[in-house]
Amino acid sequence: MKTIPHWIDGSSAPGTGTQPVFNPATGTEQARVVLGSAADIDAAVTAASKAFETWSESSLTQRTQVMFAFRQLLVEHEEELGRIISAEHGKTVDDARGEITRGREVVEFVCGLGDVLKGSFSDQVSRGVDVHNFRQPLGVVAGITPFNFPAMVPLWMHPMAIATGNTFILKPSERDPSAANFVAELYQRAGLPDGVFNVVHGGKEAVDAILGHSGIEAVSFVGSTPIAKYVHETATSAGKRVQALGGAKNHAVVLPDADLEFAANHLTAGAYGSAGERCMAVSVAVAVGTAADGLVAALEHKAREVKVGPGDAPGTEMGPLVTKASQERVENAVGTAATQGATVVVDGRGLKIDGFEDGFFTGPSLLDHVTTEMDAYKEELFGPVLAIVRVDTLDEAISLINANPYGNGTALFTASGEAARRFQRNVKVGMIGVNVPVPVPMSYYSFGGWKDSLIGDSPIHGPEGIRFYTRPKVVTTRWPQPKQQVAVGFNFPTSN
């Protein structure tokens, strides 16, 4: 049985215990991952602190050269990394390659960091006095990342942190930990000095050790809203900067003037891609007026056509859920929805795949006539379940979305520019798509929702990511001529 170790100071390191890592397609244990303790976090902080002394003083050219080399290695090993992700997460290899690509975009963004980090200079703000500013790294920073994107979400963090001169400790999900170690090896091959990037696996003990460690300056987190709130409260009380991205309940509104075939195609992919285990997955379709019946009919047809199977099998469009517990939770939610009055148009429960009968599979489920009082609407199911809510007008749809506690992503399908403009201006959501179901912004914009989807005010990657991992200095200088006398006043200094 393979054991997945920590990666500290450029080499593998043992842990204090282990727990199983499953293959979701077969339901069998395929490896064991070590569990981190406070001592393991402390060892990683010690290594990262030592590495920071020299890495923070390295040239911008040296840092970007490492990132260029790292980016090329991600390209060359995309297939291998994709299969590692698929084997532990369950998503298709194609989907895994897609997340690697979206993560690699952040690496490409920081390869041009020289332009982003340029400061400003103001000449002669007072006689003989100039002012300029620049940004410096924080020190040792950490990332706590979820199972659903074991490559992409960490890649939204550590390239930005490392390129700006920080050193990094990653605590990935213990459900699919191998991608983190693979990335660590790529960094080493790219020329990153030992100790700059470290991986410590584990659960709550490792998380709490990160949140409370005095040697860690900032923490980035992506996960559920309750844990995001816990991370934010605990880490900020310890004096750390915190990025804390939480859960979601993403709505896609379909107007009567929309191309229903186009909308149904994209809603099917947005709802059932990656088995719905995405914080940007479409989990609610809001059908407006006469769009409802035609939309439901089209979605039913397409949901029944989704090809479910092992993630590495040719032609598979949707793999299993990540754990048995996730499978049971999602299938119980479909049953609860039926009990509460929803119409189960497509029932994905009880799906068995030939040769993989013990895998954590469930098929796509489509629920109609869902109301905002039902659990299927209120809860983040994180599975392949699409709920249809029917409303009469676009304004009613906007009010429904704004009343929801989450505000991560939303979409509108329409042919009306007026409707699109009204929607994007009035909806209280951080990321909006118009005829785009999953509006994840490019790396040079920042990712983050509103309300309970973002705890605090620090989105991830893009310009906000640069600001998060650095702090500014403003320098006021005077270089008087030799023997020049400058009058000194005891009143508060001004530019006069």
Side-chain angles (χ1 to χ4, degrees):
M1 182 69 65
K2 179 179 73 171
T3 298
I4 302 163
H6 304 312
W7 180 274
I8 298 174
D9 204 16
S11 61
S12 298
T16 54
T18 64
Q19 74 175 48
V21 177
F22 290 93
N23 182 328
T26 63
T28 58
E29 181 180 338
Q30 61 178 332
R32 298 194 70 85
V33 61
V34 301
L35 299 177
S37 64
D40 296 315
I41 296 296
D42 193 58
V45 172
T46 298
S49 297
K50 182 179 179 181
F52 178 74
E53 295 175 7
T54 53
W55 182 247
S56 61
E57 294 297 324
S58 63
S59 70
L60 187 57
T61 299
Q62 179 185 350
R63 284 180 261 143
T64 54
Q65 284 177 341
V66 169
M67 287 299 160
F68 272 112
F70 177 57
R71 183 260 177 203
Q72 184 59 34
L73 289 168
L74 285 172
V75 171
E76 294 172 2
H77 294 276
E78 182 181 279
E79 181 71 17
E80 185 179 358
L81 180 54
R83 291 189 176 277
I84 289 171
I85 293 167
S86 178
E88 292 184 349
H89 175 279
K91 66 175 64 178
T92 68
V93 176
D94 282 345
D95 193 24
R97 285 195 292 256
E99 77 158 279
I100 296 165
T101 299
R102 294 307 305 266
R104 193 175 67 233
E105 290 169 359
V106 175
V107 182
E108 292 164 354
F109 173 71
V110 300
C111 284
L113 201 60
D115 185 65
V116 179
L117 279 183
K118 285 191 301 187
S120 59
F121 183 92
S122 296
D123 174 71
Q124 197 78 349
V125 297
S126 186
R127 183 170 296 180
V129 177
D130 307 321
V131 178
H132 72 277
N133 70 330
F134 60 98
R135 304 189 73 87
Q136 288 186 307
L138 304 178
V140 180
V141 299
I144 302 167
T145 57
F147 77 88
N148 58 327
F149 288 103
M152 184 184 76
V153 170
L155 282 166
W156 285 0
M157 300 175 183
H158 53 73
M160 304 205 75
I162 291 170
T164 51
N166 301 279
T167 54
F168 198 90
I169 299 169
L170 174 62
K171 206 301 288 182
S173 171
E174 61 275 23
R175 298 178 190 176
D176 44 12
S178 293
N181 288 43
F182 189 84
V183 166
E185 293 175 5
L186 294 186
Y187 262 134
Q188 189 174 64
R189 290 175 57 185
L192 189 70
D194 293 343
V196 176
F197 180 73
N198 306 274
V199 179
V200 179
H201 302 288
K204 189 176 187 301
E205 182 178 357
V207 169
D208 285 343
I210 288 171
L211 302 182
H213 201 292
S214 60
I216 296 175
E217 299 291 335
V219 177
S220 301
F221 172 84
V222 176
S224 69
T225 291
I227 305 303
K229 291 180 177 179
Y230 172 77
V231 167
H232 189 270
E233 179 181 355
T234 305
T236 54
S237 67
K240 305 183 192 311
R241 287 189 181 186
V242 182
Q243 284 175 326
L245 282 70
K249 196 70 177 179
N250 303 313
H251 302 67
V253 178
V254 181
L255 295 185
D257 66 357
D259 181 330
L260 293 186
E261 182 72 11
F262 177 89
N265 274 331
H266 286 278
L267 289 179
T268 299
Y272 305 131
S274 198
E277 294 173 319
R278 298 170 174 165
C279 70
M280 289 291 283
V282 178
S283 55
V284 180
V286 184
V288 178
T290 57
D293 290 343
L295 179 65
V296 172
L299 287 171
E300 177 182 4
H301 176 72
K302 295 181 187 304
R304 295 189 187 280
E305 288 186 332
V306 174
K307 297 178 177 63
V308 183
D312 60 353
T316 295
E317 295 172 319
M318 189 182 99
L321 291 166
V322 69
T323 63
K324 183 70 174 177
S326 296
Q327 178 195 38
E328 292 173 348
R329 175 178 49 76
V330 168
E331 296 198 346
N332 288 339
V334 174
T336 299
T339 300
Q340 293 178 340
T343 301
V344 182
V345 179
V346 179
D347 192 341
R349 293 175 293 177
L351 178 66
K352 296 296 181 183
I353 304 299
D354 291 342
F356 297 88
E357 288 79 7
D358 294 327
F360 309 140
F361 292 96
T362 188
S365 290
L366 179 64
L367 310 176
D368 194 9
H369 300 104
V370 174
T371 69
T372 57
E373 291 77 30
M374 294 180 182
D375 292 345
Y377 177 81
K378 293 188 292 185
E379 297 177 0
E380 184 184 22
L381 300 182
F382 227 62
V385 180
L386 178 59
I388 309 294
V389 177
R390 297 177 179 232
V391 299
D392 293 327
T393 67
L394 173 58
D395 288 338
E396 186 180 347
I398 292 171
S399 295
L400 182 145
I401 294 169
N402 290 348
N404 193 277
Y406 295 110
N408 210 42
T410 189
L412 175 69
F413 288 86
T414 183
S416 168
E418 183 281 324
R421 190 173 191 276
R422 179 163 27 125
F423 181 79
Q424 67 193 38
R425 287 186 60 80
N426 293 332
V427 76
K428 296 178 181 178
V429 176
M431 293 172 285
I432 300 166
V434 177
N435 298 314
V436 175
V438 184
V440 177
M442 297 297 289
S443 61
Y444 36 84
Y445 287 86
S446 296
F447 179 104
W450 287 15
K451 299 184 286 187
D452 280 354
S453 294
L454 178 68
I455 311 305
D457 60 356
S458 294
I460 202 167
H461 72 59
E464 295 290 344
I466 297 295
R467 283 191 282 272
F468 180 77
Y469 289 120
T470 60
R471 52 187 155 213
K473 280 184 175 177
V474 181
V475 182
T476 304
T477 60
R478 173 189 283 134
W479 298 102
Q481 297 176 7
K483 300 182 180 180
Q484 177 185 8
Q485 297 299 313
V486 179
V488 176
F490 287 87
N491 55 314
F492 193 82
T494 71
S495 60
N496 295 327

